[in-house]
Amino acid sequence: MTLSRGAASRGEPLTPALLTGWQQLVLGVDEVRLRQSDAFAKDGRERYGLTPHTWQDFAACLYQSADPSVPLPARAARAYLDIAFFHPYPNGDARLALLVLAHVLETEGVRLDEVGPLQTTRYADDPGGALDLAALVAVLIRATHRRATAR
């Protein structure tokens, strides 16, 4: 989380290279690469395909997480779900998604004091769940601000 917040405070944009460094730390390994083939989840029932454009599209989605015309909770939720949708690494993507969400918030000066409600399985292909996640992020932002001003 320290690396994510530090990168945000320095104004570093989300890029696959930045995420790869975080992923190395999360997994405790010296080298991590974007996956090189299709990935599968849920005992093989869910497939994350790989096309010639996958990583270009992934980088574009990460770039869009800084678009100020989109409300902050929606950008943070989308960035989180983009990790789930692209499934960029063979392992540790859920942990990475939380770091990405924290980065998007931190770039706007928001540091959640509670993340427990976010630590549950989310599905990238669930439009209702995406809206719920954005609403939850908004609630957590408001609650964090409220607790900070009550001190």
Side-chain angles (χ1 to χ4, degrees):
M1 194 60 82
T2 301
L3 288 178
S4 171
R5 289 174 171 165
S9 68
R10 290 186 300 276
E12 292 181 41
L14 289 173
T15 63
L18 183 65
L19 273 55
T20 295
W22 296 351
Q23 193 69 339
Q24 286 174 250
L25 183 63
V26 165
L27 298 177
V29 297
D30 293 333
E31 185 178 351
V32 173
R33 297 179 131 177
L34 294 170
R35 64 181 170 85
Q36 302 296 306
S37 62
D38 292 353
F40 297 89
K42 300 177 192 163
D43 295 321
R45 294 186 311 271
E46 193 165 295
R47 176 180 165 266
Y48 300 89
L50 190 64
T51 72
H53 304 286
T54 297
W55 301 128
Q56 180 180 356
D57 294 345
F58 179 57
C61 287
L62 292 175
Y63 177 80
Q64 291 166 6
S65 70
D67 182 352
S69 69
V70 177
L72 180 59
R75 281 188 284 137
R78 175 171 173 206
Y80 181 101
L81 292 171
D82 282 342
I83 300 299
F85 177 79
F86 284 97
H87 203 79
Y89 302 97
N91 189 13
D93 289 323
R95 290 169 280 186
L96 182 64
L98 191 56
L99 295 175
V100 166
L101 183 141
H103 180 279
V104 172
L105 295 176
E106 187 83 19
T107 60
E108 300 289 331
V110 174
R111 184 175 290 182
L112 297 180
D113 62 0
E114 180 182 336
V115 295
L118 295 171
Q119 295 172 326
T120 185
T121 302
R122 310 265 178 208
Y123 300 102
D125 60 351
D126 176 11
L131 289 173
D132 289 345
L133 179 58
L136 174 60
V137 170
V139 166
L140 292 173
I141 291 170
R142 285 193 303 273
T144 296
H145 286 308
R146 188 171 49 253
R147 285 187 289 273
T149 58
R151 291 179 194 155

